[in-house]
Amino acid sequence: MQQILTQTMNFEGIILGLATFLLIGIFHPIVIKSEYYFGVKCWPIFLLAGLAGCAGSLFVDNTYASVLLGVFSFSCFWSILELFEQRERVKKGLFPKKPA
């Protein structure tokens, strides 16, 4: 029992998990606002940001930064799908439509 208590704790998983949770959570309002102001035509921006994040993840030496860039890039890729789904939610009246 004494040996277990003297070991150091590994917080990397919790830190990366929390950062991932926050990054994904930030993308929800970004997608909603993007679709509201620009429609689905802004999807190439998410694609370019995602590709840049993937490239950055490959070349960063820091593990934390590399993982978070990977999470960022795939959140951008997922946002492309969410843009089109958000358009459908707006058509169904679940979200407000931008006045003409």
Side-chain angles (χ1 to χ4, degrees):
M1 182 71 171
Q2 182 67 20
Q3 185 180 15
I4 294 172
L5 293 176
T6 59
Q7 291 179 343
T8 60
M9 294 180 146
N10 186 356
F11 289 100
E12 284 87 4
I14 292 175
I15 292 168
L16 287 172
L18 177 63
T20 299
F21 177 75
L22 292 173
L23 265 172
I24 292 170
I26 289 169
F27 270 88
H28 286 288
I30 290 173
V31 167
I32 292 168
K33 295 292 184 183
S34 297
E35 195 283 329
Y36 182 83
Y37 289 109
F38 307 110
V40 294
K41 64 184 175 190
C42 66
W43 73 265
I45 295 170
F46 286 102
L47 178 64
L48 292 174
L51 291 172
C54 278
S57 179
L58 292 172
F59 295 105
V60 171
D61 287 335
N62 185 299
T63 302
Y64 287 107
S66 179
V67 169
L68 292 177
L69 280 169
V71 171
F72 168 80
S73 64
F74 281 89
S75 294
C76 287
F77 296 147
W78 186 259
S79 294
I80 296 170
L81 173 66
E82 284 297 316
L83 273 174
F84 290 93
E85 290 182 1
Q86 179 66 17
R87 177 175 65 180
E88 296 305 313
R89 291 188 284 263
V90 169
K91 285 180 183 177
K92 291 178 183 176
L94 299 174
F95 282 87
K97 184 176 183 178
K98 184 178 178 184

